[in-house]
Amino acid sequence: MFEGVLTQHDSIAGADGSSFTIQDQARMARAKNYLAWQSRLILPELGQRVVEVGCGMGNFTEYLLGRDQVIAVDVEPECVKHLRQRYPARSNLLVFACEPTNPAFAELSTFRPDSCVCTNVLEHIPDDAAALRAMAAILEPQGKIVLWVPAFQALYGSMDKRLDHCRRYRKQDMLRLAAQVGLKISKMRYVNMAGFFLWWASSRLIRQQAVTGTQIDIFDRLIAPWLSRLEAMVQPPFGQSLFAVLQKH
């Protein structure tokens, strides 16, 4: 029944946007140290029945597969197709094409999820408050929404435009958004202080359209390992990204 409701026809993305998204996902798949850094912060906040909103091609889904149930959703049909092919025999993984503001998303509540994770996705959604309300609505009481979003609107530049980012977030923005949708913030911190300067230089100064594979490789090999250890000891006052955990009452 449920599989018949959420299909590839729920996608709203265009062909050009889909192609660029897939290319960007493929480049980011190379950043193993960065993804491991993300996972060390995110995984302890998640329960056993997780909805991944904006799963893409599964770069982060890989880290979730030890959970009892993972429901991965994305608006891009090609990403959904790729993820199904990538993990064809995972009985604890279900993959659907949908977006949070689609009425069909509400049916995910039948899986009784205890947490949602949304990495580098909320900034793409025009009505981020509506998306968060939809996520909260499918969760069990005390459920968590774990967010990883780009930080600081001052960094918004050519790469944000090419990626169709609607905004970037400061802590104050997230506090207001959580209050607006009736969620409480249990944890929040900036991440990747070095990336703050690298993104500004690439997107605002050089005006690149996308991060290159070479840039990803250099950051992942030479910067991410020591920076993640440093930021585990001392939280930075700013960063390229904002990590936040929102909890349902």
Side-chain angles (χ1 to χ4, degrees):
M1 181 273 293
F2 191 74
E3 287 83 349
V5 175
L6 292 181
T7 70
Q8 291 185 356
H9 299 294
D10 290 314
S11 175
I12 61 172
D16 180 64
S18 176
S19 175
F20 186 78
T21 296
I22 291 169
Q23 293 170 15
D24 186 63
Q25 289 275 318
R27 285 190 293 267
M28 284 307 300
R30 302 156 64 139
K32 298 299 185 183
N33 289 321
Y34 179 78
L35 289 168
W37 182 6
Q38 272 192 325
S39 72
R40 288 194 295 273
L41 290 169
I42 291 173
L43 294 184
E45 305 299 331
L46 299 176
Q48 288 298 317
R49 299 184 306 280
V50 182
V51 175
E52 184 184 12
V53 179
C55 59
M57 296 172 68
N59 290 343
F60 195 77
T61 312
E62 174 183 351
Y63 295 90
L64 301 173
L65 294 177
R67 264 49 187 183
D68 291 344
Q69 181 78 72
V70 179
I71 302 100
V73 301
D74 200 279
V75 298
E76 297 282 3
E78 284 303 311
C79 288
V80 168
K81 179 181 177 181
H82 178 92
L83 187 54
R84 285 173 175 159
Q85 293 171 344
R86 183 174 178 178
Y87 301 109
R90 290 281 185 168
S91 60
N92 65 331
L93 174 64
L94 297 173
V95 188
F96 304 109
C98 192
E99 59 176 333
T101 53
N102 188 310
F105 184 83
E107 293 199 25
L108 292 176
S109 63
T110 61
F111 294 103
R112 300 184 62 193
D114 53 29
S115 46
C116 286
V117 60
C118 190
T119 60
N120 293 318
V121 173
L122 194 66
E123 66 274 11
H124 293 272
I125 302 174
D127 193 342
D128 52 358
L132 283 179
R133 287 192 188 96
M135 291 182 220
I138 66 171
L139 292 178
E140 294 287 280
Q142 306 301 311
K144 291 181 180 180
I145 300 173
V146 182
L147 300 174
W148 189 285
V149 294
F152 291 98
Q153 190 66 19
L155 295 183
Y156 193 99
S158 58
M159 292 195 294
D160 294 279
K161 292 176 184 177
R162 187 66 183 89
L163 288 165
D164 292 327
H165 289 175
C166 298
R167 69 196 74 79
R168 300 178 71 95
Y169 295 84
R170 299 170 303 159
K171 286 183 178 180
Q172 299 95 312
D173 301 320
M174 190 59 67
L175 285 167
R176 283 195 295 267
L177 182 59
Q180 181 181 348
V181 299
L183 298 170
K184 63 179 180 180
I185 293 182
S186 61
K187 187 174 292 186
M188 184 164 58
R189 60 176 293 177
Y190 292 118
V191 182
N192 192 2
M193 187 164 58
F196 178 98
F197 300 105
L198 295 172
W199 190 274
W200 176 84
S202 298
S203 194
R204 296 295 301 274
L205 190 62
I206 304 173
R207 298 185 182 278
Q208 287 180 216
Q209 293 297 301
V211 177
T212 68
T214 299
Q215 287 173 319
I216 291 171
D217 290 343
I218 291 172
F219 179 86
D220 199 56
R221 288 200 310 266
L222 302 181
I223 299 176
W226 64 262
L227 185 61
S228 62
R229 291 193 295 270
L230 176 63
E231 292 191 6
M233 295 184 291
V234 181
Q235 292 190 22
F238 57 88
Q240 181 186 346
S241 299
L242 178 65
F243 166 62
V245 180
L246 284 58
Q247 191 160 19
K248 186 174 179 178
H249 295 286

